[in-house]
């Protein structure tokens, strides 16, 4: 079914103001099949099973069933997923599959792939899957096939990336572009940085890509201090082209460029834009011929495979980028067609729901045993927490269940020497995703076997621990026994992938995208809006003039709350902080 007509964002958006006079859009209708998870039979069953799950002992489970390590594991698309070291048994898995079925996840998935406006609060389709669909696919929004547009942009990106890579594209003074600086934040930064770092080995090393995201001027300063404006290209990436951080950094970049290049005409050679907002791009002074578009049916955190990936394409080349897209598409097809029991995103999502809602675990650590993936957990933080960090259901009623866990992590083995102590022996168990590649990109001495020994050892230690009897048998004094005991039963997924490549990265990222989808679907939240980021943005804009303007603009009031819109008043804490800052800056 085609998506409903797009509603103007400003009229659809809930206001952060105290009062508003503009007409409000009608409340979206949640399909009747999209039921609350805790009203299902499976939820009740899982609640009962959790009593046993909380006491489950993985040592005995593995001893009782010698096939457990292969029973709860399977391969798809060059990824081996072993979820046997979770606190699950067959009954739990069956109840989880029943939960997905009662919650009609498959129906919701079909609606997403078909371009229905499942982002209900913004009345938008959710079609990042179209970004990697083949040219001959037909996917409609408002009755129009969007695939020619998708491939049209890809072709333009390809032409541009080739020109920069080959040196055919020259700067204003005729020099080659040596550095591409992507200016963006959130989804317009995290995916491109993560992919650039992950695929460095596939990149054109004579072109350096850098990423400026933070409004903190130190970020811009450090990323540009050693660059020559004559050889530097800025890619201003912003879906809305109104984001304060990005627009401030872009203005600074223009001033930085023109300080040396002098001529405003130089902007055309040193600035390109990636956005859905042509009007704002023109206003900024970037020729829309140098703009690469995408569409409101691509969420920011689902956009690394859209034109937002322009810097990725420049780095790894158009062929590499198309391989990345092919990897995403492989996983889309797997997600769409594989039975739930052999479906990577389904299994990962259901295990996550079990850990979060039934066993009560509050965080998930993503631990790639691959240095190239060192930005993966930062990327997944936005993907998972901005998508499913919601407290109300699609119809606005409060969730009576837990939603997104906290996602965090660092590459192994570095993490082992930092926070694994807590994962092994702390009071809050942390389910972990352990990710590794069987084949290294560079077989340096014995490194890879040592790395892999570590990932396997960690999964083993977390699951099976070390009993007091074992500690005593090592000859430890009684007083030391509790300190050296490992409780075990700490859940892990192990993802053993064949080899890192653009295609494999696409598969891994799409796996997590769809995992988030299944979870959001069961939790009955809108995984595709992000109203929770608005209030802070509005308040910051209000405070800016109070920091630099005349003293009287910052007032304190005992009555006011931070959401007052009528005057610049704050609570006593915020007012005192502003006053202190002004004093420290001599204002
Ligand atoms: O932080 C909120 C957010 O809207 C993210 O969802 C988005 O990825 C980011 O800001 C950047 O937005 P834009 O691409 O419009 O600059």
């Amino acid at each position: 079914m085609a998506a409903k007509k797009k509603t103007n964002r400003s009229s659809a958006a809930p206001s952060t103001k105290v009062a508003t006079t503009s007409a409000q859009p009608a409340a979206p209708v949640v399909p009747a099949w999209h039921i609350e998870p805790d009203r299902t039979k499976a939820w009740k069953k899982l609640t009962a099973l959790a009593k046993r799950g909380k006491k489950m002992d993985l040592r005995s489970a593995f001893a009782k069933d010698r096939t457990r390590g292969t029973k709860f594991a399977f391969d798809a698309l060059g990824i081996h997923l072993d979820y046997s070291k979770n606190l699950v048994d067959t009954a739990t898995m069956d109840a989880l599959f029943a939960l997905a079925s009662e919650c009609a996840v498959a129906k919701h998935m079909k609606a997403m792939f078909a371009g229905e406006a499942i982002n209900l609060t913004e009345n938008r389709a959710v079609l990042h899957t179209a970004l990697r669909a083949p040219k001959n696919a037909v996917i409609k929004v408002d009755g129009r096939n969007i695939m020619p547009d998708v491939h049209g942009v890809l072709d333009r990106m390809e032409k541009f990336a080739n020109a920069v890579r080959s040196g055919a594209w020259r700067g204003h003074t005729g020099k080659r572009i040596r550095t591409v600086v992507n200016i963006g934040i959130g989804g317009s930064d995290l995916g491109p940085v993560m992919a650039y770092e992950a695929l460095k080995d596939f990149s054109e090393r004579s072109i350096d890509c850098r990423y400026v995201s933070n409004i903190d001027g130190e970020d811009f300063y450090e990323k540009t201090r050693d660059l020559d404006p004559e050889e530097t290209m800025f890619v201003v990436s912003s879906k809305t082209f109104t984001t304060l951080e990005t627009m401030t950094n872009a203005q600074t970049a223009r001033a930085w460029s023109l300080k040396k290049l002098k001529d405003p005409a130089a902007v055309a050679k040193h600035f390109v834009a990636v956005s859905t907002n042509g009007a704002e791009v023109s206003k900024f002074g970037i020729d829309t011929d140098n703009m690469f578009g995408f569409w409101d049916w691509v969420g920011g955190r689902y956009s690394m495979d859209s034109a937002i990936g322009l810097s990725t394409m420049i780095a790894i080349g158009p062929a590499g980028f198309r391989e990345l897209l092919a990897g995403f598409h492989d996983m889309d097809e797997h997600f769409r067609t594989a039975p739930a029991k052999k479906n990577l995103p389904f299994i990962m999502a259901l295990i996550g729901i079990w850990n979060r809602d039934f066993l009560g675990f509050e965080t998930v650590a993503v631990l790639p045993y691959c240095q190239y993936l060192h930005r993966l957990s930062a990327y997944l933080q936005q993907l998972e927490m901005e998508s499913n960090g919601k407290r109300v259901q699609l119809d606005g009623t409060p969730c009576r269940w837990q939603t997104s866990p906290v996602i965090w992590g660092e590459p192994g083995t570095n993490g082992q020497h930092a926070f694994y102590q807590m994962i092994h022996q702390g009071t809050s168990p942390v389910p972990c995703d352990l990710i590794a590649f069987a084949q290294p990109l560079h077989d340096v001495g014995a490194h890879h076997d040592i790395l892999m020994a570590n990932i396997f050892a960690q999964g083993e230690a977390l699951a099976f621990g070390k009993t007091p009897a074992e500690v005593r048998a090592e000859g430890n004094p009684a007083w030391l026994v509790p300190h050296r005991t490992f409780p075990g039963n700490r859940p892990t997924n192990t993802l053993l992938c064949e080899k890192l490549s653009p295609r494999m990265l696409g598969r891994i990222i799409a796996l997590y995208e769809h995992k988030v989808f299944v979870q959001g679907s069961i939790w009955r939240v809108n995984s595709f809006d992000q109203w929770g980021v608005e209030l802070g943005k509005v308040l910051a804009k209000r405070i800016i003039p109070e920091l630099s303007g005349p003293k009287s603009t910052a007032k304190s009031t005992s009555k006011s709350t931070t959401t007052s819109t009528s005057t610049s008043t704050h609570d006593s804490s915020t007012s005192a902080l502003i006053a202190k800052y002004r004093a420290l800056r001599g204002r």
Side-chain angles (χ1 to χ4, degrees):
M1 202 212 287
K4 283 185 223 156
K5 190 145 178 47
K6 169 176 108 58
T7 307
N8 178 293
R9 190 177 188 173
S10 56
S11 64
S15 173
T16 48
K17 290 180 186 161
V18 167
T20 174
T21 51
S22 63
Q24 295 297 300
V29 179
V30 181
W33 48 260
H34 210 138
I35 62 172
E36 295 179 303
D38 66 349
R39 297 201 191 282
T40 61
K41 280 193 205 133
W43 192 273
K44 288 178 188 84
K45 178 113 203 249
L46 285 160
T47 308
L49 287 169
K51 293 195 184 104
R52 184 164 99 200
K54 282 178 188 160
K55 291 191 210 132
M56 186 168 173
D57 179 46
L58 286 172
R59 281 189 184 224
S60 359
F62 273 83
K64 250 188 239 155
D65 179 359
R66 300 254 158 217
T67 66
R68 186 180 166 92
T70 48
K71 192 188 231 156
F72 295 110
F74 65 101
D75 292 82
L77 300 174
I79 300 172
H80 177 79
L81 170 64
D82 176 350
Y83 60 101
S84 65
K85 295 192 186 88
N86 283 286
L87 303 173
V88 294
D89 55 20
T90 309
T92 317
M93 289 314 298
D94 286 346
L96 287 166
F97 292 126
L99 177 67
S101 160
E102 284 189 76
C103 291
V105 174
K107 217 170 201 163
H108 196 213
M109 171 179 75
K110 270 190 202 129
M112 173 176 75
F113 276 94
E116 288 183 38
I118 64 163
N119 174 353
L120 294 179
T121 59
E122 296 177 304
N123 195 22
R124 286 177 182 167
V126 173
L127 273 175
H128 43 279
T129 50
L131 298 169
R132 53 263 193 156
K135 214 171 199 157
N136 58 3
V138 176
I139 301 172
K140 291 186 178 173
V141 174
D142 294 337
R144 217 180 120 258
N145 182 14
I146 55 173
M147 293 314 295
D149 294 347
V150 169
H151 282 269
V153 172
L154 265 176
D155 293 345
R156 285 186 57 232
M157 287 167 66
E158 175 160 349
K159 227 169 132 192
F160 176 74
N162 277 335
V164 174
R165 285 164 64 87
S166 69
W169 183 288
R170 299 268 157 176
H172 187 61
T173 56
K175 289 195 178 168
R176 275 185 84 133
I177 299 300
R178 300 276 172 208
T179 308
V180 172
V181 181
N182 184 80
I183 297 181
I185 198 163
S188 300
D189 167 72
L190 290 163
V193 187
M194 180 275 294
Y196 179 64
E197 294 296 328
L199 301 176
K200 224 171 207 165
D201 197 45
F202 300 83
S203 71
E204 172 53 58
R205 303 279 186 161
S206 65
I207 299 176
D208 192 21
C209 289
R210 299 187 184 184
Y211 295 84
V212 173
S213 54
N214 204 323
I215 188 68
D216 185 348
E218 319 292 16
D219 195 13
F220 184 86
Y221 170 77
E222 277 300 328
K223 303 279 169 55
T224 55
R225 57 177 283 282
D226 56 345
L227 298 182
D228 178 354
E230 291 182 73
E231 300 178 340
T232 304
M233 157 85 72
F234 290 96
V235 179
V236 185
S237 298
S238 173
K239 180 174 171 179
T240 54
F241 229 73
T242 55
T243 304
L244 180 66
E245 290 89 339
T246 301
M247 298 331 295
T248 307
N249 277 319
Q251 296 288 0
T252 302
R254 186 166 56 182
W256 177 87
S257 291
L258 294 183
K259 193 170 173 201
K260 176 154 188 204
L261 300 172
K262 313 283 184 220
D263 183 0
V267 169
K269 287 286 170 197
H270 293 270
F271 283 80
V272 296
V274 178
S275 186
T276 58
N277 191 344
E280 285 297 324
V281 169
S282 299
K283 238 196 254 167
F284 179 85
I286 297 178
D287 190 338
T288 44
D289 280 353
N290 293 342
M291 167 179 157
F292 299 88
F294 61 116
W295 307 271
D296 70 2
W297 39 261
V298 182
R301 54 196 173 271
Y302 297 87
S303 67
M304 61 171 278
D305 48 345
S306 71
I308 288 291
L310 185 62
S311 62
T312 315
M313 192 193 263
I314 294 171
I316 64 170
F321 194 78
R322 286 187 195 266
E323 272 291 296
L324 177 74
L325 297 185
F328 273 97
H329 183 64
D330 292 340
M331 189 56 74
D332 294 343
E333 287 304 285
H334 167 80
F335 177 49
R336 224 170 46 78
T337 59
K341 290 186 177 174
K342 296 275 177 218
N343 191 306
L344 293 166
F346 259 90
I347 301 276
M348 296 267 297
L350 294 175
I351 294 282
I353 294 223
W354 172 246
N355 285 337
R356 181 78 184 105
D357 289 287
F358 299 96
L359 302 184
F361 301 146
E362 290 177 339
T363 82
V364 170
V366 179
L367 308 167
Y369 278 68
C370 172
Q371 188 58 30
Y372 283 120
L373 294 189
H374 72 105
R375 295 292 293 164
L376 180 67
S377 58
Y379 171 78
L380 293 178
Q381 280 179 335
Q382 187 197 18
L383 181 65
E384 300 215 13
M385 293 160 78
E386 198 168 81
S387 295
N388 287 338
K390 312 281 161 70
R391 51 177 272 288
V392 297
Q393 303 179 49
L394 286 163
D395 57 11
T397 56
C399 294
R400 295 182 296 272
W401 43 87
Q402 297 299 327
T403 61
S404 178
V406 174
I407 305 292
W408 60 287
E410 275 289 313
T413 58
N414 297 13
Q416 290 176 202
H417 297 272
F419 51 77
Y420 276 44
Q421 163 63 43
M422 180 266 191
I423 300 186
H424 283 285
Q425 290 186 317
T427 49
S428 301
V430 178
C432 304
D433 287 353
L434 304 168
I435 305 171
F437 299 94
Q439 305 287 348
L441 291 179
H442 303 282
D443 221 347
V444 182
H447 285 242
H448 201 64
D449 287 345
I450 300 173
L451 177 74
M452 296 306 292
N454 271 280
I455 188 174
F456 299 143
Q458 290 300 326
E460 211 171 23
L462 287 163
F464 308 117
K466 196 174 194 181
T467 63
E470 285 167 341
V471 179
R472 271 193 298 274
E474 287 174 346
N476 287 293
W479 64 266
L480 198 52
V481 172
H483 298 277
R484 302 200 69 170
T485 295
F486 289 71
N489 300 315
R490 311 233 149 179
T492 56
N493 290 314
T494 304
L495 288 131
L496 180 57
C497 313
E498 280 166 9
K499 189 172 184 174
L500 179 60
S501 66
R503 193 155 189 150
M504 185 56 83
L505 183 70
R507 290 173 180 175
I508 294 171
I509 300 306
L511 160 53
Y512 276 96
E513 283 180 352
H514 296 317
K515 172 201 142 180
V516 167
F517 175 85
V518 173
Q519 294 189 329
S521 201
I522 291 174
W523 285 327
R524 205 173 180 253
V525 295
N526 185 353
S527 304
F528 304 102
D529 62 12
Q530 57 284 321
W531 301 112
V533 303
E534 297 295 328
L535 181 59
K537 286 187 195 174
V538 171
L539 296 183
K541 277 193 182 153
R542 220 172 275 160
I543 292 173
I544 291 166
E546 297 171 23
L547 301 185
S548 46
K551 243 181 196 158
S552 57
T553 48
K555 292 181 206 152
S556 172
T557 169
S558 54
K559 286 185 296 208
S560 164
T561 65
T562 53
T563 51
S564 168
T565 54
S566 51
T567 51
S568 295
T569 51
H570 300 282
D571 61 277
S572 57
S573 160
T574 309
S575 297
L577 287 167
I578 291 171
K580 183 77 189 168
Y581 172 77
R582 288 181 64 104
L584 288 169
R585 295 295 308 263
R587 292 173 185 158

